[in-house]
Amino acid sequence: MFETLRNHIEKILPLTDQEFTFISSLFDSKSYKKGQFLFQEGENLSRHYFVCKGLLKLIYTDSEAREHIVSFAMEDWWESDFEAFYLQQKTSMSLICIENTDVLYITYDNFKHLCRTLPKIEHFFLEKAFFGCIAAQKRILSTLTSNTKERYTQLILRYPTLAQRVPKSQLAAYLGVSRETLSRFTL
Amino acid sequence: MFETLRNHIEKILPLTDQEFTFISSLFDSKSYKKGQFLFQEGENLSRHYFVCKGLLKLIYTDSEAREHIVSFAMEDWWESDFEAFYLQQKTSMSLICIENTDVLYITYDNFKHLCRTLPKIEHFFLEKAFFGCIAAQKRILSTLTSNTKERYTQLILRYPTLAQRVPKSQLAAYLGVSRETLSRFTL
DNA sequence: CGCGCGATTGAGTAATTTCAAATCTAGTGG
DNA sequence: CCACTAGATTTGAAATTACTCAATCGCGCG
């Protein structure tokens, strides 16, 4: 698992063995089974997760107990409740396994420690955050410019493997429409 | 204008005079009048803008010539077509003045030069990018959980000054609904 | 076989869009 | 002070889209 993380970081930022040993010491690994929670709404222990293997969903449950999917996270993706993590607040969302999943995670304190001790790692996280902003800008744009059917086909084209690994009802919860509506489309 | 930028950066990252002089040398300032374009769809000269004074909108124009507002940018906000800037592509959006506006901007080359020469500035940009991700996560969440009227009132509550400076039809283009629909709501 | 989960289908209802027309408002020139 | 204009907003009515609720279908698995 740590080798996966190293490969991932070194695509952007070369590391010495010593540097990577230090980074590794600040992450923990954990495996979860399908259906398990990595964290749950209202908890305080916010962490930043790196998905080595498997599939997660980040969900928000509204007052009528409806589940909205803020994002999925597959292999090599980072995921967390950004606000709760970075501002050290209680989480308003939950992170749940769609498949059996192996993750590495870093706590906020360790993250800060890492950035102070090895400042160049901020270059790596900056690049990740930038791409996060790009992806978000695109997703917002697609909700503005496209109708539901177009967004559905775009999603399948963009992430064909995701569409195979996730039930359609979950794709509906991600797109913000009812599963019945999605079911009525003929691609 | 440069003093505004310095205050803004130093809220997160203290700077020596020498460091700030260097930063300043990589930014240019420019003033635009209401209605002018800072950049236009299809251009290549992507820059990252810092708004000192005024108000901008980042728009995408679809195939039917409808204008969608991806985001507004007020005083102390950073704005750009992130994808075009960071990946050095042609812009797919346009940045336009809603009011007379003073900006500072940095080119991609200068941005890279800045990060290489003064790596600690990446800490500043990382924090900005993180907050950008948080804001995007929240906006996506609001489209998933709330109906149009709720999102409209949330927008006004969150940015009361914006709602006064921008015509309602533009708020509609930001929320992704028609101006007629917005007009039918009684707050 | 029968259960459980997911997907589909039908019918009625609600929200939003579209198009067209009317109204409002601030600024300008006579 | 008034008429005029451009931009913004509002209103009405029909058409479209999506939602909700309920029933049904399909399939893999013990």
Side-chain angles (χ1 to χ4, degrees), chain B residues 18-37:
Chain B
Q18 192 188 1
E19 285 168 342
F20 185 69
T21 301
F22 174 64
I23 292 172
S24 299
S25 73
L26 300 176
F27 279 84
D28 280 316
S29 68
K30 197 153 179 180
S31 293
Y32 294 88
K33 292 207 180 303
K34 181 175 174 174
Q36 284 190 310
F37 286 69

Side-chain angles (χ1 to χ4, degrees), chain A residues 4-128:
Chain A
T4 308
L5 178 62
R6 180 163 190 170
N7 288 336
H8 176 70
I9 296 176
E10 292 214 281
K11 279 178 195 156
I12 292 169
L13 189 75
L15 297 171
T16 65
D17 286 348
Q18 192 189 359
E19 285 168 344
F20 185 69
T21 302
F22 174 64
I23 292 173
S24 299
S25 73
L26 299 176
F27 279 83
D28 280 314
S29 69
K30 196 153 180 182
S31 294
Y32 294 89
K33 294 209 177 304
K34 181 175 174 174
Q36 284 190 309
F37 286 68
L38 283 74
F39 60 78
Q40 207 160 351
E41 180 203 337
E43 291 183 13
N44 237 324
L45 75 163
S46 199
R47 297 159 175 168
H48 204 48
Y49 291 88
F50 174 71
V51 181
C52 296
K53 184 171 183 331
L55 181 58
L56 303 173
K57 60 180 175 181
L58 180 67
I59 70 155
Y60 175 83
T61 308
D62 70 17
S63 53
E64 276 134 17
R66 274 194 285 221
E67 179 179 297
H68 305 278
I69 296 182
V70 178
S71 75
F72 294 105
M74 315 199 292
E75 287 79 8
D76 276 13
W77 286 23
W78 293 83
E79 192 61 271
S80 72
D81 178 335
F82 287 110
E83 186 173 27
F85 175 74
Y86 209 67
L87 301 177
Q88 288 290 281
Q89 302 172 352
K90 283 194 198 296
T91 59
S92 59
M93 305 188 247
S94 305
L95 188 58
I96 306 177
C97 290
I98 296 180
E99 302 172 355
N100 295 346
T101 302
D102 303 328
V103 296
L104 295 171
Y105 63 84
I106 187 167
T107 64
Y108 181 78
D109 290 341
N110 278 346
F111 178 73
K112 283 291 157 188
H113 179 51
L114 173 58
C115 290
R116 271 195 307 272
T117 312
L118 186 68
K120 77 177 193 182
I121 197 72
E122 293 193 317
H123 178 76
F124 167 77
F125 284 115
L126 175 57
E127 178 132 345
K128 285 290 148 192

Side-chain angles (χ1 to χ4, degrees), chain B residues 7-68:
Chain B
N7 288 336
H8 175 70
I9 296 176
E10 292 214 280
K11 279 179 195 154
I12 292 168
L13 189 74
L15 298 170
T16 65
D17 286 349
Q18 192 188 1
E19 285 168 342
F20 185 69
T21 301
F22 174 64
I23 292 172
S24 299
S25 73
L26 300 176
F27 279 84
D28 280 316
S29 68
K30 197 153 179 180
S31 293
Y32 294 88
K33 292 207 180 303
K34 181 175 174 174
Q36 284 190 310
F37 286 69
L38 282 74
F39 61 74
Q40 207 160 352
E41 181 203 336
E43 290 182 13
N44 237 323
L45 76 161
S46 199
R47 298 159 175 169
H48 205 47
Y49 290 87
F50 175 71
V51 181
C52 295
K53 185 172 182 330
L55 181 58
L56 303 173
K57 60 179 175 183
L58 181 67
I59 69 155
Y60 175 83
T61 308
D62 69 19
S63 54
E64 277 135 14
R66 274 194 285 221
E67 179 179 297
H68 305 278

Side-chain angles (χ1 to χ4, degrees), chain A residues 130-148:
Chain A
F130 242 123
F131 280 105
C133 289
I134 291 173
Q137 240 183 22
K138 285 186 159 194
R139 182 161 170 203
I140 287 167
L141 192 55
S142 86
T143 67
L144 291 176
T145 59
S146 306
N147 62 34
T148 305

Side-chain angles (χ1 to χ4, degrees), chain B residues 63-122:
Chain B
S63 54
E64 277 135 14
R66 274 194 285 221
E67 179 179 297
H68 305 278
I69 296 182
V70 177
S71 76
F72 294 104
M74 314 199 292
E75 287 80 10
D76 276 14
W77 287 22
W78 294 84
E79 192 60 272
S80 73
D81 178 335
F82 287 110
E83 187 174 26
F85 176 75
Y86 209 68
L87 301 177
Q88 288 289 279
Q89 302 173 351
K90 282 193 198 296
T91 59
S92 59
M93 305 189 247
S94 306
L95 188 58
I96 306 176
C97 290
I98 295 180
E99 301 172 355
N100 295 345
T101 301
D102 303 329
V103 298
L104 296 172
Y105 63 85
I106 187 167
T107 63
Y108 180 78
D109 291 339
N110 277 346
F111 177 73
K112 283 290 155 188
H113 179 51
L114 173 57
C115 290
R116 271 195 308 272
T117 313
L118 186 68
K120 77 177 194 182
I121 197 71
E122 293 192 317

